[in-house]
Amino acid sequence: MQQRTLGERKVSAIGLGGMPMSIEGRPDQARSIATIHAALDAGVTLIDTADAYHLSAGEVGHNEELIARALREYGADTSDVIVATKGGHLRPGDGTWTQNGDPAYLKEAAKASAKRLGVEAIGLYQFHRPDTRVPYADSIGALVELLDEGVIARAGISNADVGQIDLADEILGGRLVSVQNQFSPRFRSSLGELEHCARRGIAFLPWSPLGGIASSAELANRHQSFARVAADHGVSVYQVTLAWELALAPVVIPIPGASRPESIRDSAGATEVSLTPEEIAALSQA
């Protein structure tokens, strides 16, 4: 598995997104744990989750607890694995998503996440989504306190624009290590943020890099140029998609979601796909 930089650490160039294992349509626990173990077997050392990845209001942190259990039961050393979680986005249990960027709330949410993950310091904690009711600087201020208190080892942000990236890094005193935004062949409006992160040396973590849970199956039909390149290489269209994203900048670390072992095994293989400059250019214009 190729490595990329997250702050001062090296992590796998492909991560694992845990959300599909805890929201609507989730598999049983045994298959989820098998999926996480398959990711570890493939060399994945970055696993992304959030306290909001759950169904009912009474199971906040479902995905965090699932990942923690899978790591405990792996049967081999997992000390090199960074679990990245997020706070500030909530699911009240009725299928909707809400925001809470109150600094006091974020600090308590981070401590609760650390307890569920069974760690003294969270490997990467990310402010999940801006809350329009709370000044962005105030929310980021909570990350500063969490870093200084040792509750989290690294700080990141998610669903942020260029201005918020710069503001967050300024408030954090240059300690912003990652930005997690939606990016895929279908959703390219975060390209500016990706390029900005590349210029600043900040890791960019595309979420839904294959188009999202409901749309990834249609990737080949919707983006036939990706399917043609995949056929030329004799690999899946998913591997070509992730290989293209990796080729856009050395700071890109896609975190494809998975709920089956075979899915994350396929995604991990994207690091072995070598696209030509001509293919990268064609896919970028598709």
Side-chain angles (χ1 to χ4, degrees), residues 196-240:
H196 190 65
C197 286
R199 289 190 292 269
R200 299 201 55 174
I202 298 170
F204 184 86
L205 316 180
W207 62 265
S208 289
L210 300 175
I213 297 172
S215 302
S216 60
E218 300 299 319
L219 199 157
N221 291 332
R222 289 183 173 179
H223 306 280
Q224 295 183 8
S225 58
F226 284 80
R228 286 193 294 270
V229 172
D232 290 342
H233 284 262
V235 300
S236 72
V237 67
Y238 307 113
Q239 287 190 352
V240 164

Side-chain angles (χ1 to χ4, degrees), residues 10 48 51 54 109 124 139 142 192 201 282:
K10 294 289 186 181
D48 181 78
D51 60 4
H54 62 85
L124 171 63
S139 299

